[in-house]
Structures are given as structure tokens and as C-alpha cells.
Amino acid sequence: MIDGRRHDSTAAGTMAPFAQASISPTDGHRNWSIDPASLGDRSFRIDYGIRYAYVTGAMYKGIASKELVVAMAQRGLMGYLGTGGLDLREVSSAIDYIKTKIRDGQSYGMNLLADATRPTLEEQTVDLYLEKNIRYVEAAAYLQPTRALVRYRVRGARRSPQGKISVPNRIMAKVSRPEVAEQFMRPAPIRIVESLLQAGQITTEEADIARYVSVAQDVCVEADSGGHTDRGVAYVLMPAMLSLRKEVMSQNRYLEPIRIGAAGGIGTPEAAAAALILGADFIVTGSINQCTVEANTSDRVKDMLQTMNVQDTDYAPAGDMFEVGAKVQVLRKGLLFPARANKLYELYMRHNSWGEIDQKIRAQIEQKYFRRSFGEVWAETQEHCRKTAPSLLDDIDKNLKRKMAMVFKWYFVHSTRLALNGDEEQAVDYQVQCGPALGAFNQWVRGSDIENWRQRYVADIAERIMNGAAQLLGDRLAAIARNTA
């Protein structure tokens, strides 16, 4: 609920973690006690109804599972369901499951992935979220706000007779570039709002309120992370985003503050403390949650992840953005997927068709990468396209380079499926998206009761990291106090 008071943008950001923390100096400055439940932005915790300014991010194909989301909610925390790659029936079923397992007041959210090739799916997903009364959405991989996102954001927005504005639906936008972040910090584009109004998809009141609120009140700055990544550096990105926030807040004078969160590389108390020192209002974890009991991936993958170190990742082409050369960060240790995926992209860039590739290399790809012929892969790809995008088939069949790309992209889907299923015969081809944060986490818990992933529970990890960050910050403050005494 917005009370009509203008937010002072100069008060937000730089000292948020400590200005609102409960800090108690004791014993002649030798010890400082910080309440972990006070770290980060107080309004974030209140708005989301959670104990800590800490949430778990979505991981595609339901790796961030309904069980993971429930586990977080039941401990007074929050997680986002990984809906990418799931069909609407699976998402709907997961929402129903979550609702049966949690009590009123316990929070959970859903992921919404940008997919320019299937805008209808995005609209249908938003329809489902509105129907199911989903109040928290993590918007990922967006380059700009879309009609569906804006419709979700302003649906149900109301102004009371006293002038108070209520906007029930909250979007947390995950971004890695300032130019993208700015679009989510500003109000929805007028052209989109007017289009929705003319189509009868929002009311006049909702359209009016859209001018006074940002598309996303919460903007999560994603540094180098598992999965899709721009390889950003948190120490560079956070200050730039905080400056941008100050500028946008000054220009728009929002009734609610824009909050800046941090993600990517957070797997230890030290990393969480560093994010808070930089000015993060909240933190989001990802890779470390993939190696927990609740994560919906195979035991074989978790066994691999449990032993990785910080240097055991690599970059590979992103299967869903193969043609443009976008990258994902994946596990490298014990796997051939990164090298094979990069080889496929190299061949795609050098050749205009499958037939141009040297015969020996083609045989190697069919026998070792695919374990089936090019024709068999194309037949499977055609069948999938007939179900999801039949209009594309004629164009693909006439464009030999695009046909080659579609067959190569099959390998990325296949490698993900192998990992999720724990396939024993093709384990070297697993595509496991993760970042080095998990390697740091593994080193932190070595020799402890949670060294084995079978003892790792997602909510327990959240509490350990936040308690550890509070202890670490207290120790640092005590050291500063001693040095300045």
C-alpha cells in the first residue's frame, strides 16, 4: 500500500544494510551484534512477508522446484518456481501443489521468462498467474518491458478515496545491463499502456496508475552467474545501478522506492556481506540451491556439483540463443559438453549447411555427440516444431544454415534432458548450468554437517548464509572500532 508520501531518493541505497540493521556494540567495542533479520531493506521484507532480505531465484525446467518453493515459504522465506521449459499444465499443477502446502501469509513466486519466438506463451502464462492470484513474479531474460509484463504489473491497481494507491502485483526484474535496468525502473511505456487500454485488457484507473509506478519495483542486478550470463562484475555493476536508481527516482518522484538487489556469485556469507556493503537491498541465490535435497535434478548431477571448485565452470553457447552467440555458464569438471557445444557453434559460424562440414567431423558428431544420425535428429526436431511452431517449418526447410542450427540446438535440449534424468551412458554430455558460487560454497561447508548434498536443505542454507553474513559484518565493525579507538 502506498500512503501518498513522496519517497526521498537520496535516502535509499548507499547505507541501506546498516542504516536499518540492529547493531549492538558490547564489551568495549570488542563485539558487535547484528541481527541477520535486519540486513537489507526493511520495506522489502515487509512487502514480501519474509524474515530475511534473501530469496532463491528460479532455475529452469523446474530445478527450482515446487518442493524448494514450499520449503522456503514454510520457514518464512521465499523462492521462485523455475517455470522455464515447463508447459502451462505443469506450471498450473505446481501452483496448486504449493497452495496446498503453505499457510496464508507464507510467500512464494513464479518465474516468467522472455521468449520473443513465442509471445503467445508469455500472454498465456500471465493469464494463468492472474487467474491463480500470483502476486510475485521474477522476470528474467527481458531486454525491455512487454505487453504481458505491463498487464500483469498494473492489473488490480487501485486508488482509494483518500488517494492511496495499491498495486498488488510485484515484479522483480533480473538485469545485467544499465540500459535494460532503466527501462524497468521507469513507468511502463505509454504506447503499451494505451494499447492495453484500447484492447480492454486494463481499466482506465489501472492505466492512470501505471504512470506513477515503475514496471519493476525490485531490480535484481545479476553479475556473472550460472546459466545465461553477460559475465558482469558486481563491483562494477552495483555502483552503476545505484547511481541510475538515484537519477530515475529523482526524475520520477515515485511513491514507493525502487529497490536494488544482487545476484550472481553469492554462495558464502562473505559474498552476501560484500553485496550488502555495496548497497544491495536484498540478495538472490541460484547455483547453490541446485545442489540441495529439494532441487529437481538428478542425484548424479548433485554428486558432481558437490565436488566442484570455483575454477570448474566454463562458458558455452546458449541453446535458446544459439544463432546470436549468447553464452551460458556451465559445469566443466568431468564433462565434455562445454567443448562439444563450442565446437558446434564454431562449425555453425564457418559453414552454411551440414553438407559443407568435413565428412569425418560429421561422423564424429553423429556418433559421439548425437549418437544418432543428422536425419534422425532433424526428424525429431520437425516433430517438435509441428507441435510448437508449425509456421516455421517451411522457412527452415528452405534455409540450410538455419536447418543446421536447429539440429545443433537439439543437442542443447538433449544434453539438459540427460542431466535431469541422470542418464548413465551419456554422462559426459550433461549440460549443468551453474556458476562458481557453488564451488565457493563447497569449500565453505567442507568438513561440516552439510558437506554432503543429502544434508543440504535450501532454507537451512539461507539461514546459515544470512547468520554468517551478520556475524562477519559484526566482526568487521568491531575491528574498525578497535582500530579507531
Side-chain angles (χ1 to χ4, degrees):
M1 182 72 72
I2 303 172
D3 63 7
R5 293 174 295 181
R6 295 290 183 183
H7 178 73
D8 181 4
S9 63
T10 61
T14 55
M15 290 301 292
F18 300 112
Q20 300 177 31
S22 298
I23 304 175
S24 303
T26 61
D27 195 14
H29 291 299
R30 283 180 292 176
N31 297 295
W32 286 68
S33 175
I34 297 179
D35 181 1
S38 299
L39 294 174
D41 187 86
R42 181 172 180 269
S43 70
F44 181 86
R45 300 191 302 275
I46 292 173
D47 287 347
Y48 285 86
I50 54 180
R51 293 188 294 122
Y52 297 150
Y54 176 114
V55 297
T56 58
M59 291 178 284
Y60 77 144
K61 286 287 186 180
I63 293 174
S65 66
K66 58 185 186 293
E67 292 83 7
L68 187 154
V69 170
V70 167
M72 290 291 285
Q74 290 179 343
R75 293 274 280 272
L77 302 167
M78 195 180 86
Y80 290 94
L81 181 76
T83 63
L86 304 182
D87 63 39
L88 288 176
R89 288 173 298 177
E90 291 174 309
V91 176
S92 180
S93 176
I95 293 172
D96 293 341
Y97 172 88
I98 293 168
K99 288 185 173 183
T100 65
K101 298 293 183 179
I102 65 174
R103 302 190 309 271
D104 289 343
Q106 294 179 329
S107 301
Y108 67 97
M110 297 288 122
N111 174 240
L112 188 62
L113 272 178
D115 189 345
T117 64
R118 295 190 292 174
T120 301
L121 177 61
E122 183 192 17
E123 293 284 355
Q124 291 172 340
T125 305
V126 166
D127 288 340
L128 176 65
Y129 291 171
L130 293 173
E131 175 192 339
K132 298 285 188 180
N133 201 33
I134 300 301
R135 293 306 185 199
Y136 308 120
V137 160
E138 176 201 83
Y142 283 86
L143 297 179
Q144 59 189 5
T146 62
R147 281 175 52 91
L149 270 180
V150 174
R151 178 163 65 94
Y152 171 81
R153 172 63 165 152
V154 303
R155 178 66 64 86
R158 297 289 182 269
R159 192 188 301 273
S160 75
Q162 293 76 33
K164 293 182 180 179
I165 292 175
S166 173
V167 185
N169 298 333
R170 298 189 178 276
I171 293 173
M172 184 184 78
K174 296 183 79 172
V175 301
S176 56
R177 298 176 180 231
E179 69 271 20
V180 176
E182 182 174 0
Q183 296 183 71
F184 283 93
M185 291 183 187
R186 295 193 179 279
I190 294 176
R191 58 179 176 77
I192 292 181
V193 174
E194 291 181 346
S195 174
L196 289 169
L197 181 61
Q198 291 173 5
Q201 293 184 295
I202 60 174
T203 66
T204 301
E205 183 179 24
E206 290 165 348
D208 176 64
I209 291 173
R211 297 182 300 160
Y212 299 99
V213 298
S214 53
V215 175
Q217 184 186 354
D218 299 302
V219 175
C220 180
V221 181
E222 191 167 26
D224 194 26
S225 63
H228 291 78
T229 179
D230 282 331
R231 310 189 202 186
V233 178
Y235 299 115
V236 175
L237 283 173
M238 284 299 295
M241 296 293 191
L242 292 169
S243 295
L244 176 62
R245 182 208 16 214
K246 184 176 181 180
E247 176 186 344
V248 173
M249 288 290 295
S250 176
Q251 292 172 353
N252 289 274
R253 303 287 293 171
Y254 290 131
L255 300 176
E256 283 190 328
I258 294 171
R259 294 176 295 233
I260 303 294
I266 300 176
T268 61
E270 290 85 354
L276 293 164
I277 286 285
L278 282 170
D281 295 314
F282 60 95
I283 62 175
V284 180
T285 58
S287 294
I288 61 174
N289 305 313
Q290 188 174 190
C291 195
T292 61
V293 171
E294 297 93 348
N296 186 30
T297 190
S298 66
D299 288 359
R300 288 179 63 87
V301 165
K302 294 177 187 180
D303 288 339
M304 291 179 175
L305 290 172
Q306 177 184 294
T307 65
M308 70 168 284
N309 209 325
V310 294
Q311 75 278 5
D312 291 328
T313 64
D314 202 351
Y315 298 96
D320 58 341
M321 303 174 71
F322 180 80
E323 293 91 338
V324 298
K327 296 291 186 179
V328 289
Q329 189 165 194
V330 297
L331 180 67
R332 177 184 61 188
K333 183 180 180 181
L335 301 176
L336 294 178
F337 169 78
R340 289 178 171 180
N342 280 300
K343 179 64 174 180
L344 290 177
Y345 184 70
E346 176 196 341
L347 293 170
Y348 169 75
M349 293 299 293
R350 288 171 46 202
H351 301 286
N352 291 313
S353 71
W354 173 253
E356 289 185 6
I357 300 173
D358 179 81
Q359 186 174 355
K360 289 183 178 179
I361 296 176
R362 295 205 311 264
Q364 182 186 48
I365 292 172
E366 289 181 319
Q367 294 167 15
K368 294 187 176 181
Y369 294 27
F370 298 167
R371 298 202 180 185
R372 62 202 74 188
S373 70
F374 183 93
E376 288 173 323
V377 174
W378 174 236
E380 186 175 327
T381 303
Q382 280 182 306
E383 184 61 29
H384 175 73
C385 285
R386 288 192 185 98
K387 295 177 181 178
T388 60
S391 61
L392 297 178
L393 274 177
D394 287 342
D395 179 57
I396 294 173
D397 226 0
K398 297 173 184 176
N399 187 327
L400 295 181
K401 189 176 182 72
R402 191 172 183 189
K403 183 176 181 179
M404 176 176 60
M406 292 297 291
V407 170
F408 285 177
K409 289 166 73 170
W410 170 91
Y411 176 69
F412 293 82
V413 176
H414 180 61
S415 60
T416 298
R417 190 183 302 125
L418 292 172
L420 292 174
N421 295 335
D423 182 277
E424 295 185 9
E425 293 186 5
Q426 285 186 264
V428 293
D429 287 297
Y430 287 1
Q431 179 182 178
V432 182
Q433 297 186 4
C434 71
L438 180 54
F441 178 87
N442 287 337
Q443 304 315 303
W444 176 51
V445 302
R446 180 181 291 174
S448 75
D449 58 325
I450 60 171
E451 180 174 3
N452 190 300
W453 69 260
R454 290 168 178 81
Q455 302 302 321
R456 297 181 186 180
Y457 296 90
V458 65
D460 181 47
I461 287 173
E463 292 180 346
R464 290 182 187 227
I465 286 179
M466 292 301 283
N467 277 281
Q471 179 65 51
L472 183 66
L473 291 170
D475 291 345
R476 295 293 186 269
L477 287 173
I480 292 171
R482 289 194 299 270
N483 290 335
T484 58

